[in-house]
Amino acid sequence: MILTVTLNTALDITYRVRGLRPHGTHRVSEVTERPGGKGLNVGRVLAALGHEVTVTGFTGGATGRTVRDRLAGTPGVADALVPVEGPTRRTIAVVDTATGDTTQLNEPGPVIAPAEWSAFQERYEHLLRSASAVALCGSLPPGVPVGAYAQLVRTARALAVPVLLDTSGEPLRRGVAARPDIVKPNAEELAELTGSHDPLQATRSARRRGAHTVVASLGAEGLLAENAAGRWRAAPPNRVHGNPTGAGDSAVAGLLSGLVEDLPWPERLARAVALSAATVLAPTAGEFDRATYEALAPQVAVTSEASAA
């Protein structure tokens, strides 16, 4: 079983309008709702790839009940979410069908009480005992300690469960110091962590700070990965245009599935890039088209070079 953690789950709502204009009134042509938050997105992709997945984190209120109801209809995904008193947040994506651009509005999430955080930690440690790998994903809701991911990384490592960390800011800085197996920042998050805007220097710096493998998402340029065994670049065959919502989460699913399947790093990265590109091209935000993914995977260019350290 692969475990994904989403401390700040969400109900993702997507509106489609033609010609988004500030201060204007818009007629919405389509509305979609789905369980969201990075770890839930990762879990959904992993399940579509054929893996057994358990998702955990916090959920509460009427929005949380909607999230759990929708999760119940997702094949291959088991719900181990921890109930809290505060309402689960909503994230609003407004897609301009004329340009393809997306405007995102993210609520902060419920305030988590100390007793709720303790209940989650107990659930997490119990779930880890039957997990082959764990992904720690996304932002922290109010009330959760800023060092939460560092603590969760240490718990996973104590139980010899490989851990992937995908977050940002101070939670990322503290989490990296706990020595996760993989971190997957984007270019902006990596620069904020290390102070360097050169991806090569930044990945090396992130490794020196504690990460065993750093996989940097460089947007349309694909992925840059480095660990003690080497350095690789992986890029899609062509620049893709569409809705990037969930593309990074699909890349995480590719990396995590490759880890549990013990694939060589070039194959893991090719899968991650193909899944990410197939998500950008999908008509529904945050989903991926399997036929597109299967067509793209053999075309991803992966080059390798010796690691600097």
Side-chain angles (χ1 to χ4, degrees), residues 134-221:
V134 59
L136 308 175
C137 303
S139 62
L140 301 179
V144 172
V146 70
Y149 281 135
Q151 184 175 353
L152 299 181
V153 169
R154 288 191 290 268
T155 301
R157 289 183 56 79
L159 294 171
V161 178
V163 56
L164 183 154
L165 177 63
D166 183 16
T167 188
S168 60
E170 185 66 11
L172 174 61
R173 187 185 71 80
R174 297 196 187 195
V176 165
R179 303 186 63 79
D181 295 272
I182 304 171
V183 294
K184 196 215 69 67
N186 60 33
E188 181 180 348
E189 293 162 349
L190 188 60
E192 182 182 3
L193 172 67
T194 64
S196 175
H197 290 274
D198 179 339
L200 284 176
Q201 292 182 6
T203 54
R204 293 175 195 144
S205 178
R207 287 190 58 223
R208 287 194 295 270
R209 291 165 187 261
H212 290 274
T213 298
V214 179
V215 182
S217 176
L218 305 180
E221 297 179 18

Side-chain angles (χ1 to χ4, degrees), residues 77-165:
V77 176
D79 176 355
L81 294 165
V82 175
V84 295
E85 184 175 351
T88 294
R89 66 187 177 130
R90 297 163 298 178
T91 65
I92 312 297
V94 184
V95 179
D96 186 335
T97 59
T99 65
D101 292 335
T102 301
T103 299
Q104 192 82 17
L105 303 171
N106 295 336
E107 296 179 355
V111 176
I112 304 301
E116 293 169 337
W117 172 234
S118 295
F120 168 79
Q121 292 177 80
E122 292 179 8
R123 174 74 59 88
Y124 173 71
E125 184 169 350
H126 172 74
L127 292 168
L128 279 176
R129 297 185 184 279
S130 56
S132 56
V134 59
L136 308 175
C137 303
S139 62
L140 301 179
V144 172
V146 70
Y149 281 135
Q151 184 175 353
L152 299 181
V153 169
R154 288 191 290 268
T155 301
R157 289 183 56 79
L159 294 171
V161 178
V163 56
L164 183 154
L165 177 63

